[in-house]
Amino acid sequence: MAHYLVTGGAGFIGSHLVEELVRRGERVRVVDSLVTGYRRNLAAVASRVEFIEGDLAQAAVAAAASAGVDYILHQAAIPSVPRSVTEPVFCHEANVNATLNLLVAARDAGVRRLVFAGSSSVYGNVAVLPTHEDVPLDPLTPYALQKLIGEQYLRLFTSLYGLETVTTRYFNVFGPRQDPSSAYSGVISLFIRSLLDGRTPTIFGDGEQTRDFTYVANVVDGVLKACHAPGVAGGVINVATGGRVSLNTLFGTLRSLTGADVVATYGPARRGDIRDSQANIGRARALLGYSPTVELPEGLARTLAWARQAGS
Ligand code: UD2
């Protein structure tokens, strides 16, 4: 049994990682500030998990959380492009300063490997689709830049101090427990909530922007593979489905899945919004033996089933 720290473990993606680790019989510690996470996300595994409530932007919290662990899955973040545009300093604290503290703590604690939740936003409006990891990066928002700084710090800690690190670049992850309660929430959670409540969602821009929406179980699989694969330390790996769909198509699909008689309204495009995003997942296939197991339609059906239950 190995000992894992999941930062942001009470959040959406973090709680799915925690559940899978518990299922595998691993020892799990969670650190979470509960700024965007919820204790209820860990309800099914609470008795099997050590929970530290704290903010990794405080060095003492990062040190206490890292002590004695073998692996760190660093998911804690303020994961929102628009929030970073309106609150860049607040987001920098959580996305960059906390990450640096955690890297120092992981190095000092002799952690075997740290895997970081990177983001496809670092690519910006890239010319090459599907996009591989080595294209020139073009962060267009504070969030994208903060995620890029994070992954560059990881790379540096590997080359400078020998701490094994891997960045998994996520592409628009969705699934059960993604919180629809804020204007900063992921679009699938917002669309589903609106449709189930009979409210009109807003599509920002013309709705022809595309995303590689990735069901959370694929991410759990990719992250845990990245945590253990040989020869990937210091690297960056896309974890996604490898397809892309427009928001208009997504909304149409969700509308027919829910049967809701709701039409979307259109509003101004979001500042810093990327037009198209689609991953080349060749590196994850080659280095991790990763392959997406849940495609978009199945992922949407599962998420909808959860949302119906959670909202009732
Ligand atoms: C970015 C990253 C993603 C992840 C995420 C943070 C890209 C391509 N993706 O996602 O990998 O890091 O940040 O969790 O940068 N939208 C609407 N109506 C709404 C809400 C959103 O039309 O009510 C649009 C939005 O303008 C965008 C798309 O939906 O074009 C997706 O927005 P999002 O906030 O779910 O995620 P995004 O792409 O910023």
Side-chain angles (χ1 to χ4, degrees):
M1 182 176 36
H3 193 180
Y4 289 77
L5 170 67
V6 182
T7 77
F12 159 49
I13 299 173
S15 65
H16 284 274
L17 283 163
V18 170
E19 279 188 351
E20 176 59 17
L21 290 169
V22 166
R23 198 191 62 78
R24 294 182 185 189
E26 307 289 8
R27 186 171 164 200
V28 186
R29 177 186 293 158
V30 165
V31 61
D32 202 300
S33 65
L34 301 180
V35 169
T36 60
Y38 298 95
R39 289 295 291 259
R40 66 167 186 263
N41 284 340
L42 294 171
V45 289
S47 64
R48 305 271 308 272
V49 171
E50 180 193 356
F51 186 85
I52 300 174
E53 182 176 342
D55 183 350
L56 293 167
Q58 293 172 10
V61 172
S66 303
V69 303
D70 300 305
Y71 302 105
I72 298 180
L73 310 179
H74 180 34
Q75 311 299 306
I78 302 293
S80 166
V81 167
R83 187 164 187 183
S84 80
V85 173
T86 52
E87 300 179 72
V89 177
F90 172 72
C91 292
H92 187 96
E93 187 83 356
N95 295 339
V96 178
N97 296 356
T99 299
L100 178 56
N101 275 341
L102 186 68
L103 284 165
V104 169
R107 179 200 65 190
D108 294 350
V111 165
R112 288 161 69 177
R113 187 174 287 182
L114 180 148
V115 183
F116 173 59
S119 167
S120 60
S121 59
V122 299
Y123 293 118
N125 281 319
V126 69
V128 186
L129 290 175
T131 306
H132 63 79
E133 292 84 348
D134 295 332
V135 299
L137 302 175
D138 184 21
L140 300 176
T141 56
Y143 174 77
L145 182 59
Q146 290 156 12
K147 284 292 177 182
L148 179 55
I149 293 170
E151 62 175 68
Q152 291 190 341
Y153 261 126
L154 261 75
R155 205 185 283 266
L156 192 69
F157 269 65
T158 299
S159 61
L160 197 57
Y161 305 115
L163 172 67
E164 288 206 2
T165 67
V166 182
T167 294
T168 42
R169 282 189 189 145
Y170 298 165
F171 285 66
N172 290 76
V173 186
F174 73 97
R177 294 201 293 269
Q178 190 169 32
D179 177 20
S181 68
S182 140
Y184 299 129
S185 301
V187 69
I188 289 182
S189 69
L190 289 171
F191 280 4
I192 288 179
R193 201 63 259 158
S194 294
L195 286 162
L196 292 183
D197 294 348
R199 285 184 290 108
T200 303
T202 305
I203 293 178
F204 300 135
D206 65 4
E208 285 305 303
Q209 64 269 46
T210 58
R211 294 291 184 271
D212 187 346
F213 292 107
T214 306
Y215 186 68
V216 64
N218 300 316
V219 170
V220 168
D221 183 42
V223 168
L224 294 178
K225 287 187 158 108
C227 190
H228 297 287
V232 295
V236 169
I237 305 174
N238 290 340
V239 173
T241 306
R244 77 192 162 100
V245 64
S246 74
L247 284 207
N248 287 328
T249 301
L250 171 75
F251 181 69
T253 304
L254 288 172
R255 195 164 170 256
S256 48
L257 279 173
T258 55
D261 187 18
V262 170
V263 288
T265 57
Y266 288 80
R270 239 172 38 184
R271 263 186 300 173
D273 209 30
I274 285 171
R275 188 69 182 170
D276 297 305
S277 174
Q278 181 182 15
N280 177 326
I281 55 173
R283 184 177 290 178
R285 285 187 194 279
L287 297 185
L288 306 182
Y290 165 86
S291 155
T293 51
V294 182
E295 297 291 341
L296 183 61
E298 171 65 17
L300 291 177
R302 289 192 200 180
T303 307
L304 189 56
W306 170 81
R308 283 190 204 277
Q309 201 189 16
S312 61

Short mmCIF file of all heavy atoms in Angstrom, two decimals, residues 102-133:
data_model
loop_
_atom_site.label_atom_id
_atom_site.label_comp_id
_atom_site.label_asym_id
_atom_site.label_seq_id
_atom_site.Cartn_x
_atom_site.Cartn_y
_atom_site.Cartn_z
N LEU A 102 4.06 23.71 -2.47
CA LEU A 102 3.89 22.26 -2.46
C LEU A 102 5.12 21.56 -3.05
O LEU A 102 5.56 20.53 -2.53
CB LEU A 102 2.64 21.88 -3.25
CG LEU A 102 2.26 20.40 -3.19
CD1 LEU A 102 1.81 20.00 -1.78
CD2 LEU A 102 1.14 20.10 -4.18
N LEU A 103 5.68 22.14 -4.09
CA LEU A 103 6.89 21.54 -4.68
C LEU A 103 8.04 21.56 -3.68
O LEU A 103 8.78 20.56 -3.56
CB LEU A 103 7.27 22.31 -5.95
CG LEU A 103 6.42 22.01 -7.18
CD1 LEU A 103 6.62 23.07 -8.26
CD2 LEU A 103 6.73 20.61 -7.74
N VAL A 104 8.20 22.65 -2.97
CA VAL A 104 9.27 22.73 -1.96
C VAL A 104 9.03 21.67 -0.89
O VAL A 104 9.95 20.94 -0.49
CB VAL A 104 9.32 24.15 -1.35
CG1 VAL A 104 10.21 24.19 -0.12
CG2 VAL A 104 9.78 25.17 -2.39
N ALA A 105 7.78 21.59 -0.44
CA ALA A 105 7.44 20.62 0.61
C ALA A 105 7.66 19.19 0.11
O ALA A 105 8.18 18.34 0.85
CB ALA A 105 5.99 20.81 1.05
N ALA A 106 7.29 18.93 -1.14
CA ALA A 106 7.45 17.58 -1.70
C ALA A 106 8.93 17.22 -1.81
O ALA A 106 9.34 16.10 -1.50
CB ALA A 106 6.78 17.51 -3.08
N ARG A 107 9.71 18.16 -2.27
CA ARG A 107 11.17 17.94 -2.35
C ARG A 107 11.73 17.63 -0.96
O ARG A 107 12.46 16.65 -0.78
CB ARG A 107 11.83 19.21 -2.92
CG ARG A 107 13.33 19.14 -3.03
CD ARG A 107 13.94 20.52 -3.11
NE ARG A 107 13.71 21.27 -1.87
CZ ARG A 107 13.96 22.56 -1.70
NH1 ARG A 107 14.43 23.28 -2.71
NH2 ARG A 107 13.74 23.17 -0.54
N ASP A 108 11.36 18.44 0.02
CA ASP A 108 11.93 18.27 1.37
C ASP A 108 11.45 16.98 2.03
O ASP A 108 12.15 16.42 2.87
CB ASP A 108 11.58 19.48 2.24
CG ASP A 108 12.26 20.75 1.74
OD1 ASP A 108 13.15 20.64 0.86
OD2 ASP A 108 11.91 21.85 2.22
N ALA A 109 10.26 16.53 1.65
CA ALA A 109 9.71 15.31 2.25
C ALA A 109 10.17 14.05 1.52
O ALA A 109 9.84 12.94 1.92
CB ALA A 109 8.18 15.38 2.25
N GLY A 110 10.92 14.22 0.43
CA GLY A 110 11.39 13.04 -0.32
C GLY A 110 10.29 12.30 -1.05
O GLY A 110 10.34 11.06 -1.20
N VAL A 111 9.30 13.04 -1.53
CA VAL A 111 8.18 12.42 -2.25
C VAL A 111 8.69 11.76 -3.54
O VAL A 111 9.58 12.28 -4.21
CB VAL A 111 7.11 13.51 -2.56
CG1 VAL A 111 6.11 13.06 -3.60
CG2 VAL A 111 6.40 13.91 -1.27
N ARG A 112 8.11 10.63 -3.90
CA ARG A 112 8.60 9.87 -5.06
C ARG A 112 8.18 10.47 -6.38
O ARG A 112 8.93 10.44 -7.36
CB ARG A 112 8.14 8.41 -4.96
CG ARG A 112 8.92 7.69 -3.85
CD ARG A 112 8.22 6.44 -3.39
NE ARG A 112 8.24 5.40 -4.40
CZ ARG A 112 7.74 4.19 -4.22
NH1 ARG A 112 7.15 3.89 -3.06
NH2 ARG A 112 7.79 3.29 -5.17
N ARG A 113 6.96 10.99 -6.47
CA ARG A 113 6.54 11.67 -7.70
C ARG A 113 5.35 12.60 -7.38
O ARG A 113 4.49 12.25 -6.57
CB ARG A 113 6.15 10.67 -8.79
CG ARG A 113 5.86 11.34 -10.13
CD ARG A 113 5.62 10.35 -11.24
NE ARG A 113 6.85 9.68 -11.68
CZ ARG A 113 6.90 8.78 -12.67
NH1 ARG A 113 5.79 8.47 -13.31
NH2 ARG A 113 8.03 8.21 -13.00
N LEU A 114 5.32 13.72 -8.07
CA LEU A 114 4.20 14.66 -7.96
C LEU A 114 3.60 14.85 -9.36
O LEU A 114 4.32 15.15 -10.31
CB LEU A 114 4.68 16.00 -7.40
CG LEU A 114 3.64 17.11 -7.20
CD1 LEU A 114 4.02 18.00 -6.00
CD2 LEU A 114 3.47 17.99 -8.45
N VAL A 115 2.29 14.64 -9.47
CA VAL A 115 1.58 14.82 -10.74
C VAL A 115 0.69 16.06 -10.62
O VAL A 115 -0.07 16.20 -9.65
CB VAL A 115 0.72 13.59 -11.09
CG1 VAL A 115 0.06 13.78 -12.46
CG2 VAL A 115 1.57 12.33 -11.08
N PHE A 116 0.79 16.95 -11.59
CA PHE A 116 0.13 18.26 -11.54
C PHE A 116 -0.99 18.35 -12.57
O PHE A 116 -0.81 17.94 -13.73
CB PHE A 116 1.19 19.33 -11.83
CG PHE A 116 0.68 20.74 -11.99
CD1 PHE A 116 -0.02 21.39 -10.97
CD2 PHE A 116 0.94 21.45 -13.15
CE1 PHE A 116 -0.46 22.70 -11.13
CE2 PHE A 116 0.51 22.76 -13.31
CZ PHE A 116 -0.19 23.39 -12.30
N ALA A 117 -2.11 18.92 -12.14
CA ALA A 117 -3.24 19.15 -13.04
C ALA A 117 -2.97 20.35 -13.92
O ALA A 117 -3.21 21.49 -13.53
CB ALA A 117 -4.51 19.38 -12.21
N GLY A 118 -2.44 20.12 -15.10
CA GLY A 118 -2.21 21.19 -16.06
C GLY A 118 -3.47 21.44 -16.87
O GLY A 118 -4.51 20.82 -16.64
N SER A 119 -3.37 22.35 -17.82
CA SER A 119 -4.57 22.74 -18.58
C SER A 119 -4.27 22.99 -20.05
O SER A 119 -3.26 23.59 -20.40
CB SER A 119 -5.15 24.02 -17.97
OG SER A 119 -6.12 24.58 -18.84
N SER A 120 -5.22 22.57 -20.87
CA SER A 120 -5.15 22.83 -22.31
C SER A 120 -5.16 24.32 -22.62
O SER A 120 -4.82 24.71 -23.74
CB SER A 120 -6.35 22.18 -22.99
OG SER A 120 -7.55 22.73 -22.47
N SER A 121 -5.56 25.13 -21.65
CA SER A 121 -5.61 26.58 -21.90
C SER A 121 -4.22 27.14 -22.24
O SER A 121 -4.12 28.19 -22.86
CB SER A 121 -6.19 27.31 -20.69
OG SER A 121 -5.42 27.06 -19.55
N VAL A 122 -3.16 26.45 -21.85
CA VAL A 122 -1.80 26.96 -22.13
C VAL A 122 -1.53 27.05 -23.64
O VAL A 122 -0.66 27.81 -24.07
CB VAL A 122 -0.68 26.11 -21.47
CG1 VAL A 122 -0.84 26.14 -19.95
CG2 VAL A 122 -0.64 24.70 -22.01
N TYR A 123 -2.30 26.31 -24.44
CA TYR A 123 -2.04 26.32 -25.89
C TYR A 123 -2.53 27.60 -26.56
O TYR A 123 -2.02 27.98 -27.61
CB TYR A 123 -2.70 25.12 -26.56
CG TYR A 123 -2.10 23.80 -26.18
CD1 TYR A 123 -2.85 22.82 -25.53
CD2 TYR A 123 -0.76 23.52 -26.45
CE1 TYR A 123 -2.29 21.59 -25.18
CE2 TYR A 123 -0.21 22.30 -26.10
CZ TYR A 123 -0.98 21.35 -25.46
OH TYR A 123 -0.42 20.15 -25.10
N GLY A 124 -3.54 28.25 -25.99
CA GLY A 124 -4.12 29.42 -26.64
C GLY A 124 -4.75 29.04 -27.97
O GLY A 124 -5.20 27.91 -28.17
N ASN A 125 -4.80 30.01 -28.88
CA ASN A 125 -5.39 29.74 -30.21
C ASN A 125 -4.33 29.16 -31.13
O ASN A 125 -3.75 29.84 -31.97
CB ASN A 125 -6.00 31.01 -30.80
CG ASN A 125 -7.36 31.28 -30.18
OD1 ASN A 125 -8.15 30.36 -29.97
ND2 ASN A 125 -7.61 32.53 -29.87
N VAL A 126 -4.09 27.89 -30.97
CA VAL A 126 -3.00 27.23 -31.65
C VAL A 126 -3.40 26.89 -33.09
O VAL A 126 -4.58 26.66 -33.38
CB VAL A 126 -2.63 25.95 -30.84
CG1 VAL A 126 -3.71 24.92 -30.94
CG2 VAL A 126 -1.30 25.41 -31.20
N ALA A 127 -2.40 26.85 -33.97
CA ALA A 127 -2.68 26.59 -35.39
C ALA A 127 -2.87 25.09 -35.67
O ALA A 127 -3.53 24.72 -36.64
CB ALA A 127 -1.56 27.14 -36.25
N VAL A 128 -2.31 24.25 -34.82
CA VAL A 128 -2.29 22.81 -35.10
C VAL A 128 -3.38 22.08 -34.31
O VAL A 128 -3.37 22.10 -33.08
CB VAL A 128 -0.92 22.20 -34.69
CG1 VAL A 128 -0.83 20.74 -35.11
CG2 VAL A 128 0.22 23.01 -35.27
N LEU A 129 -4.30 21.47 -34.99
CA LEU A 129 -5.34 20.65 -34.34
C LEU A 129 -5.35 19.27 -34.98
O LEU A 129 -5.30 19.18 -36.22
CB LEU A 129 -6.73 21.26 -34.54
CG LEU A 129 -7.06 22.57 -33.80
CD1 LEU A 129 -8.42 23.07 -34.23
CD2 LEU A 129 -7.03 22.39 -32.30
N PRO A 130 -5.44 18.19 -34.24
CA PRO A 130 -5.30 18.12 -32.79
C PRO A 130 -3.90 18.55 -32.35
O PRO A 130 -2.95 18.40 -33.11
CB PRO A 130 -5.58 16.65 -32.46
CG PRO A 130 -5.54 15.91 -33.75
CD PRO A 130 -5.68 16.87 -34.86
N THR A 131 -3.83 19.03 -31.12
CA THR A 131 -2.62 19.72 -30.66
C THR A 131 -1.73 18.79 -29.85
O THR A 131 -2.17 18.19 -28.87
CB THR A 131 -3.04 20.92 -29.80
OG1 THR A 131 -3.96 21.72 -30.55
CG2 THR A 131 -1.83 21.75 -29.41
N HIS A 132 -0.46 18.68 -30.26
CA HIS A 132 0.48 17.88 -29.47
C HIS A 132 1.22 18.79 -28.48
O HIS A 132 1.16 20.02 -28.57
CB HIS A 132 1.44 17.11 -30.39
CG HIS A 132 2.32 17.98 -31.22
ND1 HIS A 132 3.44 18.60 -30.72
CD2 HIS A 132 2.22 18.36 -32.51
CE1 HIS A 132 4.00 19.30 -31.67
NE2 HIS A 132 3.27 19.19 -32.78
N GLU A 133 1.92 18.18 -27.56
CA GLU A 133 2.46 18.90 -26.42
C GLU A 133 3.57 19.88 -26.78
O GLU A 133 3.86 20.80 -26.01
CB GLU A 133 3.00 17.91 -25.38
CG GLU A 133 1.93 17.06 -24.69
CD GLU A 133 1.53 15.82 -25.48
OE1 GLU A 133 1.89 15.70 -26.67
OE2 GLU A 133 0.84 14.96 -24.89
#
